[in-house]
Amino acid sequence: MTAAHLPSDGGLDDRVPFLARLESEDRAALLALGNDLEFIPRATLLHQNEPSAHILLILHGWTKVTASAANGYQALLALRGPGDIIGESAVLTGRARSATVTALAPVKAKAVEYEKFRGFLARSPDASFQLLGLTADRMRATDQRRLEFASLSVRERFAVLLLDLARTHGRRTDEGIEVAVPLSKQELAGAVGASREMVQRLLKDLREREVVLTGRRALVILRPDVLRRIARSGATRATDGAPP
């Protein structure tokens, strides 16, 4: 299997991870401050609303970042993988964690305590600027996603999401482009602001049209061109000023 290469469809998670932004000396110095941790699939790495004590640097594996509303609805905010830093906002502000981070596959990470991380940033202005740049990139991606999704129907948002997953986490197989991170229907729903039942109906329609194949936590995209047409129909409508 090889990585899938698709042209950009306005993907929202194509920023360079934190460790890759650092000079090799800074990267080695930061990793030396951490303690090795391992997590099994579906284990929780960080809990929403818990006190902040450390940041995590992901070395291997993928995680999901989610936030729960008061009514119990859970939104999928992002996927974080190798080279990413998580928990840094809470540590730097001293506030409770704003989201939960859960392993989607076996994860290896480094945990760096609050004081050690602050000291590292104080000694390395370049690393501080890189962290600031990463924060700005994440905020811009969030704003872009909110703006784009505001003009799209759930069906169109779902097509955009599948294209984004194929571009950033897809790998070529004999059947098509397999999304390499295992996401449940509930997690897909949380990414597009829909119900699980709605996502189930959308997947059923796409399966019947032979656009996707689905299995237990497996998703293969057979016809990305069809998904592009669905996604672009919303953008065209918004440009023309027609009602959604």
Side-chain angles (χ1 to χ4, degrees):
M1 293 182 292
T2 59
H5 295 284
L6 296 174
S8 174
D9 289 284
L12 304 172
D13 199 24
D14 55 352
R15 79 284 177 276
V16 178
F18 181 58
L19 288 179
R21 297 177 184 230
L22 299 180
E23 296 292 339
S24 57
E25 291 183 3
D26 281 340
R27 183 164 56 249
L30 177 57
L31 291 174
L33 298 175
N35 297 316
D36 293 324
L37 296 177
E38 294 188 7
F39 301 90
I40 62 173
R42 299 290 149 176
T44 301
L45 284 68
L46 303 175
H47 292 269
Q48 184 176 350
N49 297 322
E50 74 175 1
S52 307
H54 62 278
I55 59 100
L56 289 175
L57 302 164
I58 301 177
L59 305 180
H60 175 79
W62 284 93
T63 66
K64 64 172 182 173
V65 182
T66 59
S68 299
N71 64 0
Y73 183 81
Q74 188 177 83
L76 177 64
L77 303 180
L79 300 177
R80 301 288 182 228
D84 272 319
I85 182 173
I86 53 177
E88 78 287 350
S89 177
V91 167
L92 294 175
T93 62
R95 298 174 181 170
R97 302 201 187 279
S98 60
T100 294
V101 181
T102 308
L104 291 172
V107 169
K108 293 182 179 180
K110 288 274 189 180
V112 181
E113 295 177 358
Y114 169 84
E115 292 298 337
K116 290 183 179 180
F117 185 57
R118 294 275 300 220
F120 166 76
L121 294 178
R123 293 188 299 273
S124 176
D126 182 67
S128 297
F129 279 115
Q130 294 300 335
L131 182 60
L132 181 62
L134 174 63
T135 301
D137 286 348
R138 288 180 175 177
M139 291 180 62
R140 183 165 56 247
T142 299
D143 290 343
Q144 179 187 351
R145 183 173 198 154
R146 186 179 296 115
L147 177 63
E148 290 178 348
F149 275 19
S151 63
L152 302 180
S153 68
V154 173
R155 181 170 178 263
E156 291 155 356
R157 295 201 298 268
F158 191 58
V160 170
L161 173 66
L162 293 184
L163 287 169
D164 193 34
L165 289 172
R167 186 176 61 84
T168 57
H169 304 289
R171 57 191 179 195
R172 292 279 182 185
T173 69
D174 292 338
E175 294 178 307
I177 302 171
E178 181 183 358
V179 175
V181 288
L183 294 172
S184 67
K185 294 183 180 66
Q186 185 61 56
E187 288 160 352
L188 293 171
V192 295
S195 67
R196 184 181 184 280
E197 291 71 24
M198 172 61 78
V199 164
Q200 202 157 352
R201 288 197 296 271
L202 291 172
L203 284 173
K204 181 175 183 292
D205 175 65
L206 292 174
R207 281 197 305 269
E208 291 175 347
R209 296 169 61 186
E210 298 185 342
V211 179
V212 303
L213 287 175
T214 61
R216 182 171 176 79
R217 297 196 179 280
L219 174 65
V220 179
I221 296 174
L222 307 176
R223 296 287 307 277
D225 58 309
V226 175
L227 294 177
R228 289 192 190 95
R229 286 199 295 272
I230 295 172
R232 287 170 183 164
S233 66
T236 301
R237 186 183 60 243
T239 301
D240 293 340

